[in-house]
């Protein structure tokens, strides 16, 4: 009996070892991912491999059921996790447990200029994706803001490659710490929605490498992104989802990307190009990525049966397939088959707080004369809120980033929540934009219909303005087609629905007027001189109203700065002045080259309406004189630049100190200055800090497309310390030897 007992104990103790020994390598977490890939690959049939490289449903691709390798599940989008859709439809499936937290749009995140906030964003949205068992998040987007008309700018991170790079990296790392792949999009040159499926972009290599690629390169090298999504448009005549130059030459050979390349939905157009030009996973073929459908076409995808037949005939070698499957298996072992990844969480209080913090750090105070803001609740006993955007849901619509949300606090709700017990808050519509919002079968529950005529709405708003202490006008754009929405660009810089006339009329009626713009793009402002206070409040998701109210009453001191230029008029924008936007006969040449945004303004001495990097505070900051550690540096040395900054006001605040570098003399034309560093510092009243920046040769280089390399030419460099690109506080100079 004793022997039997000891034998039993021995078996129990040794079982894990034997179990481990008999476990196939691909299932063994202790093995390297690369070994697991090779083992899994060796066990798969040709048919199983081909099934992996194309969609099997609207948002999934096959795993290998026989081997216990899970399917891959993708989900939009950059601002929140899309509701479940029917297997083969765009419309939502009507689940009752998939209402998510909507985080602010990525323009708002970029406007925070706070990498820690970007990390919080990525972690939070990654937890939501993980909880919903999605192993690929279809975001973030980092296409550069080239024209203020681009319908999708709200999904991206502005006009400057350095800022977009600095903000996208923490977002990606935050997502991926949940065992969910970030799929950075849309690679590349997808800077407009007009003709987005067909336009062929021509751009010189210097502009490509200096402006349009850096954020993607940072995503790959610093963010270590596990997935990239090809863009719809063409570059050098090849569709970006099957593009030798972008996907093989640059992404794989130059950047050593080891992740998976996913097509945009409907971005694949040719079997052989998809096979040989770098694509790994084909999605959404024969759809427009928004509404158009061709049901149950999956076996006829370019990388489905047509690919299988080429492999069976020997016309295409199996190694071409294996390259793709290896990348997909690497995704699988990094995500669904990583047993150590966390479990995620969904639509939690913590995520609501995160969404509100992101919004509060991203809201930008553009103008504030006569200290109209923050609203003095001792004086404000009657507050009039006017404008459709004060009540309109903005989380529905806009295209693929549309969401079914657990809740959305509108500006009016937020203001009433915060102020309602201290002041009377009255509301007038003022104008009618759109009655409803609708996307993917999700219809806004709001009934925004109104029987009044435009004149009556206008008159009622003016009447209210006469009777109240403060007027908060909440207008801007919305997520309907032709505004801030995928699939189409705006036709003009103007605010729609005759808002300009209403704003001017309100300014005449009440000197305590605050204009709040809810938008993802710059707009023209003919009334700007008449309006004392102006706030850019972006699309801030579920907590939008709470964040806005806290900023308006001063619970939060605004600290956001613009991630893109607000031009006075369209012809002040390079893409419109010389850049050929939106192109002719599906050909679009970026003739403005590297001179995008403030780079264009500096080159042409154009003053903006509001400049890149601009944002005010309820306190004041004074900058001291910058000092530089050395007058000269060599390529392998660094320079330290320091500048004191003091909070001279009466409340705590955060200031974003920006550092721009200008090459005094260069063999090729260069921008007057370019953003090369920034730091967001918190200061209490009277507190002073010395902000320190390190400059290395990489901050001095430009891409020489004659030599196809990054070069820093010896000579003098100017360093600008600034509160915005048009508000230079101090400069220093040094020489590269
Ligand atoms: C699209 C979008 C892309 C999105 C995809 C899936 O049309 O361009 O950003 O992730 O379809 O919805």
């Amino acid at each position: 009996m004793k022997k039997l007992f000891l034998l039993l104990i021995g078996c129990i103790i040794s079982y894990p070892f034997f179990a481990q020994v008999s476990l196939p390598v691909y299932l063994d977490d202790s093995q390297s991912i690369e070994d697991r890939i090779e083992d899994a690959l060796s066990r798969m049939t040709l048919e199983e491999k081909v099934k992996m490289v194309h969609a099997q449903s609207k948002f999934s691709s096959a795993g290998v059921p026989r081997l216990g390798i899970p399917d891959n599940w993708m989900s939009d989008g950059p601002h929140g996790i899309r509701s479940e859709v029917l297997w083969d439809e765009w419309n939502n499936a009507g689940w009752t447990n998939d209402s998510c937290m909507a985080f602010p749009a990525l323009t708002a995140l970029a406007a925070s200029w706070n990498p820690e906030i970007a990390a919080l964003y990525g972690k939070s949205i990654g937890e939501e994706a993980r909880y919903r068992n999605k192993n690929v998040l279809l975001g973030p987007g980092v296409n550069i803001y080239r024209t203020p008309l681009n319908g999708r700018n709200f999904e991206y991170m502005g006009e400057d490659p350095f800022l977009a790079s600095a903000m996208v990296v923490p977002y990606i790392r935050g997502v991926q710490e949940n065992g969910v792949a970030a799929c950075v999009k849309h690679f590349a040159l997808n800077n407009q929605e007009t003709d987005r499926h067909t336009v062929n972009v021509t751009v010189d290599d210097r502009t490509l490498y200096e402006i349009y690629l850096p954020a993607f390169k940072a995503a790959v090298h610093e963010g270590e992104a596990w997935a990239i999504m090809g863009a719809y448009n063409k570059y050098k005549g090849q569709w970006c989802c099957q593009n030798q130059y972008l996907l093989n030459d640059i992404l794989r050979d130059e950047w050593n990307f080891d992740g998976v390349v996913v097509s945009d939905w409907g971005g694949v157009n040719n079997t052989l190009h998809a096979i040989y030009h770098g694509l790994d996973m084909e999605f959404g073929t024969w759809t427009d990525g928004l509404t158009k459908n061709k049901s149950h076409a999956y076996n006829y995808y370019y990388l489905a049966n047509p690919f299988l037949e080429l492999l069976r005939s020997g016309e295409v070698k199996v190694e071409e397939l294996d390259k793709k499957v290896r990348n997909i298996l690497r995704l699988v072992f990094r995500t669904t088959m990583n047993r150590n990844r966390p479990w995620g969480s969904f639509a939690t209080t913590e995520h609501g707080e995160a969404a509100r913090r992101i919004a509060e750090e991203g809201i930008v105070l553009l103008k504030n004369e006569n200290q109209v803001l923050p609203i003095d609740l001792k004086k404000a006993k009657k507050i009039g809120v006017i404008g459709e955007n004060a009540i309109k849901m903005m989380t529905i619509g806009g295209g693929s980033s549309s969401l079914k949300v657990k809740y959305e606090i509108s500006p009016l709700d937020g203001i009433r929540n915060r102020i309602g017990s201290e002041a009377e808050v009255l509301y007038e519509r003022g104008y009618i934009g759109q009655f409803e919002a609708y996307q993917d079968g999700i219809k806004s529950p709001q009934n925004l219909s109104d029987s009044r005529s435009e004149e009556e709405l206008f008159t009622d708003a003016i009447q209210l303005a006469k009777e109240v202490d403060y007027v908060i006008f909440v207008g801007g754009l919305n997520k309907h087609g032709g505004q801030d929405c995928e699939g189409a660009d705006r036709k003009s810089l103007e605010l729609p629905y005759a808002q300009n006339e209403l704003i001017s009329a309100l300014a005449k009626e009440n000197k305590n007027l605050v204009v709040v713009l809810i938008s993802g793009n710059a707009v023209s402002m003919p009334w700007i001189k008449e309006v004392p206070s102006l706030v850019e409040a972006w699309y801030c998701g579920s907590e939008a109203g709470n964040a806005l109210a806290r900023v308006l009453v001063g619970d939060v001191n605004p600290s956001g700065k613009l991630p893109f230029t607000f031009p006075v008029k369209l012809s002040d924008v390079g893409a419109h002045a010389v850049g050929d936007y939106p192109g002719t006969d599906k050909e679009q040449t970026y003739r403005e080259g590297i001179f995008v945004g403030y780079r264009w303004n500096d080159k042409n001495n154009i003053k903006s309406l509001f400049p890149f990097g601009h944002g005010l505070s309820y306190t004041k900051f004074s900058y001291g004189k910058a000092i530089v550690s050395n007058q000269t540096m060599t390529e392998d040395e660094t320079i330290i630049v320091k500048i004191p900054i003091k909070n001279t006001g009466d409340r705590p605040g955060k200031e974003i100190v920006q550092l721009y570098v200008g090459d005094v003399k260069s063999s090729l034309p260069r921008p007057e200055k370019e953003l090369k560093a920034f730091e967001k510092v918190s200061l209490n009243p009277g507190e002073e800090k010395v902000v320190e920046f390190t400059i290395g040769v990489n901050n001095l280089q430009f891409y020489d497309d004659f030599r196809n390399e990054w070069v820093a030419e010896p000579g003098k460099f100017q360093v600008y310390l600034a509160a915005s690109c048009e508000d230079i506080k101090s400069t220093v100079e040094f020489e590269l030897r």
Side-chain angles (χ1 to χ4, degrees), residues 23 81 137 176 331 341 365 370 387 439 574 659 711 737:
L23 201 63
I81 306 307
L137 172 69
Q176 297 187 163
L331 168 72
R341 61 182 184 148
L365 178 61
N370 320 325
Q439 183 88 43
L659 180 144
V711 296
R737 284 277 164 80

Side-chain angles (χ1 to χ4, degrees), residues 76 82 152 185-186 196 229 232 264-265 289 400 486:
D76 290 313
R82 188 176 190 153
R152 288 189 89 172
K185 64 189 186 182
H186 305 87
R196 68 170 178 166
M229 182 191 290
Y232 280 129
D264 201 341
W265 268 237
S400 57
E486 174 180 344

Side-chain angles (χ1 to χ4, degrees), residues 58-59 74-78 82 90 137-139 152 155-156 183 185-186 190 193 196-197 229-232 263-266 283 287-291 399-401 440 486-487:
K58 192 58 77 187
F59 284 97
M74 322 289 189
S75 172
D76 290 313
R82 188 176 190 153
W90 289 114
L137 172 69
L138 300 175
R152 288 189 89 172
E155 289 189 53
Y156 304 145
C183 184
K185 64 189 186 182
H186 305 87
N190 179 193
E193 290 299 287
R196 68 170 178 166
H197 289 275
M229 182 191 290
Y232 280 129
S263 79
D264 201 341
W265 268 237
F283 278 87
T287 72
D288 61 358
L290 268 179
T291 53
S400 57
S401 61
D440 309 328
E486 174 180 344

Side-chain angles (χ1 to χ4, degrees), residues 534-602:
L534 174 63
V535 173
E536 173 57 64
W538 312 114
Y539 298 110
C540 279
S542 293
E543 284 286 331
N546 289 336
L548 175 62
R550 284 162 53 82
V551 167
L552 293 178
V553 300
D555 295 345
V556 169
N557 189 354
S559 62
K561 296 210 171 191
L562 291 180
F564 53 75
T565 304
F566 274 58
V568 172
K569 54 189 185 307
L570 266 186
S571 56
D572 287 351
V573 178
H576 296 264
V578 300
D580 184 31
Y581 171 86
T584 311
D585 299 332
K586 314 283 192 261
E587 289 292 334
Q588 163 74 250
T589 303
Y590 289 7
R591 289 200 186 88
E592 76 281 5
I594 58 177
F595 298 99
V596 175
Y598 68 86
R599 291 170 169 83
W600 175 263
N601 286 22
D602 285 346

Side-chain angles (χ1 to χ4, degrees), residues 514-525:
V514 181
V515 171
V516 176
L517 294 178
I518 307 289
S519 64
N521 254 316
V523 295
S524 56
M525 304 178 191

Side-chain angles (χ1 to χ4, degrees), residues 629-634 637-639 733-737:
S629 59
N630 308 72
Q631 295 305 315
T632 63
M633 69 177 264
T634 61
E637 292 173 334
T638 57
I639 284 263
E733 191 172 278
F734 68 91
E735 184 173 353
L736 175 67
R737 284 277 164 80

